[in-house]
Amino acid sequence: MEMNGRSKSSLKFADDILQRGRQTALNNNYNYDEHTNIIKSLVDPKHELCDQEIREEIFSMIMAGQDTTTLIVSNTLLMPAIHKDVQLKVV
């Protein structure tokens, strides 16, 4: 399957996150504290995840964030459209 420009840039973005997570984890000797993030956990060797699996987890998180943002924005625009009295107060 041939990748388009958007797919290539998404792959590069995920790879950048993966590499930064690995570097951060290595610098901290995989020590966990209250600031441990999900990427640091994913790159931990004890989880034995390959790069493709970690990349898929990163994509899942990005897509979940986009879905949430879309829902919030659409509802923020919908509610004043339904409630004209509130719309007049907001505008």
Side-chain angles (χ1 to χ4, degrees):
M1 176 198 275
E2 189 174 322
M3 293 176 63
N4 62 27
R6 184 175 289 172
S7 296
K8 287 179 185 176
S9 83
S10 295
L11 182 60
K12 182 175 178 353
F13 180 70
D15 283 338
D16 289 346
I17 291 173
L18 175 58
Q19 293 311 315
R20 282 185 285 177
R22 274 216 174 94
Q23 191 58 47
T24 300
L26 285 171
N27 290 343
N28 294 327
N29 244 357
Y30 294 96
N31 291 326
Y32 293 95
D33 57 20
E34 69 273 7
H35 301 294
T36 298
N37 63 40
I38 189 73
I39 304 299
K40 187 174 171 185
S41 298
L42 289 171
V43 299
D44 190 329
K46 72 180 177 187
H47 292 128
E48 300 178 4
L49 296 174
C50 69
D51 285 358
Q52 182 61 35
E53 291 168 321
I54 296 170
R55 205 178 287 124
E56 288 170 3
E57 291 296 325
I58 292 169
F59 279 131
S60 294
M61 288 182 274
I62 292 169
M63 294 311 296
Q66 287 178 340
D67 286 348
T68 303
T69 302
T70 301
L71 182 63
I72 290 170
V73 170
S74 62
N75 280 324
T76 301
L77 296 173
L78 177 65
M79 289 300 120
I82 292 172
H83 303 282
K84 297 290 184 186
D85 56 320
V86 175
Q87 183 182 25
L88 293 172
K89 292 177 184 177
V90 174
V91 179

